[in-house]
Amino acid sequence: MPKRALPPAILWTAGALLFFLLATANSGGYRYGASDQAYYIPAIREAMTPALFPRDDALLDAQSQVILWDGLVAGMAEQTGLPLSWVFFGLYAAGVLALYVSATLVARAVGLGPAGTIALLALLTLRHRIAKTGVNTLEGYLHPRMIAYACGVLAIAAFVRGKPGWAAAALAACAAVHPTSALWFGLLLGAAAWAAWPSWRRPLAAVALAGAAAGVWAIAAGPLAPRAVVMDDLWLSAIATKDYLFPHEWPAYAWFFNFLPAGIVALALWRARDLAPELRGLLAGALALTAFFLATLPLVAMRYALAVQLQIPRVFWLVELMAFLVIAIGISRLGARGGRRATAAVAMAWLLVTVSVARGATVLFVEKEGELVEIGLPEGDWTDAMQWLRAQPVDVHVLADPGHAWRYGTSVRVAAERDVFLEDVKDAAIAMYDRDVAVRVVERRLLTHDLASKPPGELRALAARYGLHYLVTTERLDLPLAYENATFRIYALR
């Protein structure tokens, strides 16, 4: 009696579960409140409760004014009534699964066999940093960029299927959550359509001209006009630690690893003459993104603010995606030849899965020593101290070690929902978008660089000048103690 194949629904579900587990494990597990959430959570909290962050409002708005994400998630949390931590986990899981579905649809659209599909999905679970770009291919926390990436991959699947309307809808969804990601996917697909569909070149040229005209207006007299300036030395000093913003200063290894995928794409475009027009168009689009990076490099080198803020090197994330697709196509074609080559193709695919499993286990259980999923803030003395601060009046202003977010895992704004004098890592990142924020960061760095050694008199003078209420520290100081646990002490500064 012949063996009965598993129903497609079971295969899809099992694949989705395995993809989620591997992607999350390779990211070091899911964490609430980590890394870039030092901005996103306070911004969403402020959208839900406008009275929060009366002093840090301008800093948060420097980034909030260019994205819709904060309001969208705030509305979702209010409508569902769920704790924000659960909303975040739900969106994170949805984003990972959407990437799985989108990648599977791309695999079907380009005609990948089982080995090629498995290889593509396994490659996407291998979380890593795109060299010197400040972006990872996957994040172990909710980031709108990841959902936008899934929407962009879905747009690619629609394009390969010859459904431009669906591709445009997916790009619109991408733009709603992360505009710059939508811009890169739009450039990729625009160049791909130009190369693949000659009959579309006139309307595409019209759209490009209209877009260029709108861009010129926005920069010359519209909302982008304040960004059409060259960053001065003070502004640059605030973001000096963000070396990924200036690719002309990259070390040699960054150039190699970022241009290697472009080389793979170019080789495939040159050698594989039998690819479908849409596939050849996508590969041409990846090379167009690489060319766009090179063309705009002089603007970044001259520190033109808008070019720096767009973080153009992140186009290499999409170029790498196209290189992954080329590798998967190669494995799929090898499998289609039958015999030992088919066996080799299957072995390659499962080798990639094995690498993902081994790497995920190492990252999660050896490097991070954590759980796969932590939905709430981590338990500990830092979170305990922050809970005490959260119970204080909403206008409380907190002084803490400027590096507290990376040192203790979460920022004061996230864990206590209170204004903080300086959170260096995230405040410096936001300073890229606004010179006034940069001035604030530089000034407050100077005032806090020796915070642990400042005498009580200086701390009181600083508190009087900036309206500070509490100091969080591990030190014992001659100041009124308001709260204490095994590690941290919170002193009243008034």
Side-chain angles (χ1 to χ4, degrees):
M1 186 175 179
K3 293 183 179 179
R4 301 178 66 179
L6 291 173
I10 293 179
L11 291 175
W12 268 77
T13 303
L17 178 60
L18 181 60
F19 185 87
F20 178 85
L21 292 174
L22 292 179
T24 304
N26 273 275
S27 301
Y30 169 80
R31 303 291 179 264
Y32 175 72
S35 192
D36 285 341
Q37 291 187 357
Y39 157 74
Y40 286 109
I41 291 176
I44 292 166
R45 288 290 188 192
E46 185 185 36
M48 297 170 66
T49 309
L52 288 175
F53 308 111
R55 296 173 183 83
D56 291 340
D57 177 73
L59 179 141
L60 296 174
D61 283 351
Q63 187 168 344
S64 297
Q65 62 184 341
V66 298
I67 59 175
L68 301 175
W69 175 254
D70 310 334
L72 292 173
V73 179
M76 188 177 299
E78 290 171 343
Q79 290 297 317
T80 61
L82 293 172
L84 191 60
S85 59
W86 278 96
V87 172
F88 267 50
F89 176 67
L91 288 172
Y92 167 81
V96 174
L97 295 176
L99 179 58
Y100 165 77
V101 171
S102 299
T104 304
L105 291 175
V106 168
R108 284 191 172 189
V110 302
L112 294 184
T117 301
I118 291 170
L120 178 62
L121 292 171
L123 285 167
L124 290 176
T125 65
L126 292 171
R127 183 256 198 187
H128 58 280
R129 175 152 293 203
I130 306 298
K132 285 293 183 179
T133 63
V135 65
N136 298 309
T137 56
L138 293 170
E139 300 292 2
Y141 55 90
L142 174 64
H143 196 297
R145 186 173 61 235
M146 295 310 307
I147 295 177
Y149 188 58
C151 292
V153 176
L154 183 61
I156 289 173
F159 170 78
V160 176
R161 290 282 190 186
K163 299 182 181 297
W166 286 105
L171 284 177
C174 183
V177 295
H178 203 258
T180 52
S181 292
L183 176 60
W184 309 142
F185 275 105
L187 290 175
L188 171 72
L189 291 174
W194 180 277
W197 301 336
S199 63
W200 279 64
R201 288 178 181 173
R202 284 191 177 181
L204 285 171
V207 170
L209 287 173
V216 169
W217 168 81
I219 293 171
L224 298 180
R227 304 173 188 274
V229 296
V230 174
M231 292 177 158
D232 59 24
D233 290 340
L234 188 149
W235 196 346
L236 290 169
S237 68
I239 60 175
T241 56
K242 313 298 181 182
D243 58 351
Y244 57 83
L245 295 173
F246 305 105
H248 62 287
E249 298 175 354
W250 280 352
Y253 80 85
W255 286 92
F256 173 78
F257 283 113
N258 283 327
F259 276 82
L260 178 61
I264 293 172
V265 167
L267 182 62
L269 191 59
W270 174 54
R271 296 195 62 181
R273 302 289 182 179
D274 59 338
L275 291 175
E278 289 78 12
L279 268 177
R280 293 185 64 81
L282 285 172
L283 300 186
L287 296 181
L289 285 178
T290 306
F292 178 76
F293 163 79
L294 292 172
T296 55
L297 192 59
L299 292 174
V300 177
M302 67 179 283
R303 272 64 171 182
Y304 186 70
L306 181 59
V308 174
Q309 292 163 359
L310 285 173
Q311 301 179 75
I312 299 168
R314 294 183 176 185
V315 300
F316 287 112
W317 191 12
L318 278 66
V319 178
E320 183 183 270
L321 173 63
M322 292 301 99
F324 283 170
L325 187 57
V326 166
I327 293 170
I329 290 171
I331 291 174
S332 183
R333 290 189 169 190
L334 187 66
R337 295 182 181 181
R340 292 182 178 178
R341 292 177 177 178
T343 302
V346 172
M348 289 179 188
W350 286 108
L351 175 62
L352 288 171
V353 174
T354 302
V355 169
S356 181
V357 170
R359 185 178 180 279
T362 301
V363 171
L364 184 62
F365 300 118
V366 179
E367 294 180 12
K368 301 296 184 180
E369 298 181 350
E371 299 178 0
L372 183 69
V373 171
E374 289 184 7
I375 293 177
L377 293 175
E379 294 184 1
D381 291 342
W382 175 255
T383 300
D384 174 73
M386 295 301 101
Q387 288 175 343
W388 185 87
L389 283 171
R390 188 185 294 187
Q392 307 312 305
V394 74
D395 64 344
V396 157
H397 197 190
V398 180
L399 178 63
D401 181 333
H404 64 270
W406 64 264
R407 193 182 302 276
Y408 305 125
T410 54
S411 75
V412 170
R413 295 188 190 107
V414 169
E417 297 181 9
R418 295 297 179 265
D419 289 321
V420 67
F421 188 66
L422 178 64
E423 195 273 276
D424 202 322
V425 175
K426 184 46 58 183
D427 291 6
I430 296 174
M432 170 180 61
Y433 298 105
D434 190 282
R435 188 182 182 280
D436 290 341
V437 173
V439 171
R440 163 180 161 148
V441 168
V442 171
E443 177 188 28
R444 297 187 179 195
R445 276 178 180 164
L446 290 173
L447 293 170
T448 58
H449 76 280
D450 57 348
L451 185 63
S453 60
K454 284 187 182 295
E458 284 191 32
L459 292 171
R460 289 194 183 96
L462 188 65
R465 180 179 174 186
Y466 288 96
L468 297 164
H469 295 86
Y470 293 105
L471 166 66
V472 185
T473 181
T474 58
E475 306 294 325
R476 292 195 177 276
L477 302 173
D478 186 19
L479 288 168
L481 185 65
Y483 183 78
E484 180 180 18
N485 60 31
T487 305
F488 296 98
R489 295 164 187 87
I490 300 178
Y491 294 99
L493 292 172
R494 294 196 177 189

